[in-house]
Amino acid sequence: MSLLTNVMDHSLDDGYAEAAARKKAAGASGMPKTLRAKLGLAAGLVLAALVVTLGAAQARVAAPVVAKERQELIDRIDKETSSADKLEGTVDKLRDDVSARQRAALKTSGGSGQADLVSMLSGATAVHGPGVKLVVDDAKEASTGGGDDPRETADFSDTGRVRDRDMQRVVNGLWAAGAEAISVNGQRLTALSAIRAAGDAILVDNRPLVPPYTVLAVGDGQRLSTRFQNGADGLYLHALEDNYGIRATIAVESDLRLAAAPSVIVRTAQPRTEKGTS
């Protein structure tokens, strides 16, 4: 009991109590006591005030210059943007003119039926008819996976995202299943089309596409759907759904409309004649 009584009566350590009493007796405070300390504090406050004042003055003087440079930069951007829009419009007109001339050349290069078939298969003319609509989209929670993932490359490692090689297999599978014409997000594919990746974007003929990717394929709809899904590329797509959460839906459509390719290079093959030796 004597120990508990002593703790209750002397809860504050004697050393702390003595220091507090000494500080109270000396009237100690946070302010400096000597003249030199007071002068140093005053000089520091004056210097800080001077620095703040000079900074505010410089900012006030430089503000009009910065605003002027900013406005000049905005004007230059607007001017260059307008120029780029005009050039893009010119390119579209020239592309349409080239496409029209190419389609005319295809029609006059041979028989009417053969020319129509060639122009359809080459993507030079718009087509419509039955087929399938395949929509492929990234997983709901696309992750940036790594490790030993066989689908990973240095440029495109998101395991839950559709990649360029995935779209290549889908398109090739539809061609193999009997598709007569194919477009991806409205971009008509031709024999010269390329599906590539640039960073996280999929490019079709150097045009970036964004998910979801809508693939339209004209052909015998039901047969095309069945052959694709039962083929190796359709099974590959199902594996992406099961293993990586890729979303894909396929539906048979009674009438699909595919626009012509924006530009088709017409080349003419000539038969090679070999000279006999006598």
Side-chain angles (χ1 to χ4, degrees):
M1 290 297 294
S2 59
L3 178 60
L4 294 177
T5 303
N6 185 48
V7 170
M8 295 297 295
D9 293 340
H10 303 86
S11 58
L12 184 64
D13 187 85
D14 293 340
Y16 286 108
E18 183 180 354
R22 186 168 57 252
K23 185 176 181 181
K24 182 178 180 181
S29 64
M31 299 299 294
K33 298 300 182 181
T34 63
L35 178 61
R36 179 177 297 181
K38 292 180 179 180
L39 291 176
L41 178 60
L45 293 176
V46 171
L47 182 60
L50 181 61
V51 170
V52 173
T53 303
L54 289 176
Q58 290 180 353
R60 187 178 296 108
V61 172
V65 178
V66 173
K68 182 180 179 181
E69 293 178 351
R70 180 176 180 275
Q71 187 60 44
E72 290 178 353
L73 181 60
I74 292 175
D75 294 340
R76 287 180 57 188
I77 293 174
D78 292 340
K79 182 179 178 181
E80 295 299 330
T81 300
S82 177
S83 177
D85 291 340
K86 291 180 181 179
L87 291 175
E88 186 176 356
T90 302
V91 170
D92 291 338
K93 291 180 181 179
L94 292 175
R95 183 182 289 115
D96 293 339
D97 182 60
V98 170
S99 299
R101 292 174 183 270
Q102 289 175 347
R103 286 192 290 270
L106 286 172
K107 290 182 179 180
T108 58
S109 62
S112 176
Q114 183 178 4
D116 292 340
L117 178 61
V118 171
S119 62
M120 180 190 71
L121 296 178
S122 65
T125 58
V127 297
H128 73 93
V132 296
K133 178 180 179 181
L134 175 62
V135 180
V136 184
D137 199 358
D138 297 337
K140 291 183 178 180
E141 297 180 357
S143 62
T144 55
D148 298 328
D149 182 4
R151 298 178 68 248
E152 180 182 358
T153 64
D155 298 327
F156 211 132
S157 61
D158 288 357
T159 58
R161 303 189 63 178
V162 180
R163 305 188 321 169
D164 57 330
R165 69 174 61 183
D166 302 331
M167 290 305 302
Q168 290 172 5
R169 293 205 57 166
V170 167
V171 169
N172 289 335
L174 289 171
W175 284 125
E180 300 173 1
I182 298 177
S183 69
V184 182
N185 282 17
Q187 184 72 18
R188 180 76 174 273
L189 301 184
T190 70
L192 302 177
S193 295
I195 300 177
R196 295 290 185 265
D200 287 353
I202 294 180
L203 306 181
V204 174
D205 291 338
N206 294 323
R207 289 176 177 250
L209 306 180
V210 294
Y213 306 101
T214 302
V215 184
L216 302 180
V218 173
D220 186 344
Q222 190 59 53
R223 182 184 180 192
L224 182 59
S225 175
T226 301
R227 293 185 63 182
F228 171 74
Q229 294 187 73
N230 293 336
D233 298 307
L235 296 176
Y236 172 82
L237 182 59
H238 289 313
L240 295 184
E241 295 181 71
D242 295 336
N243 298 326
Y244 300 100
I246 298 296
R247 293 170 288 174
T249 59
I250 187 169
V252 177
E253 301 287 340
S254 59
D255 187 36
L256 297 174
R257 295 185 177 273
L258 278 62
S263 179
V264 179
I265 300 175
V266 178
R267 294 186 175 93
T268 303
Q270 297 293 339
R272 178 181 177 183
T273 58
E274 299 182 358
K275 296 182 180 180
T277 57
S278 58

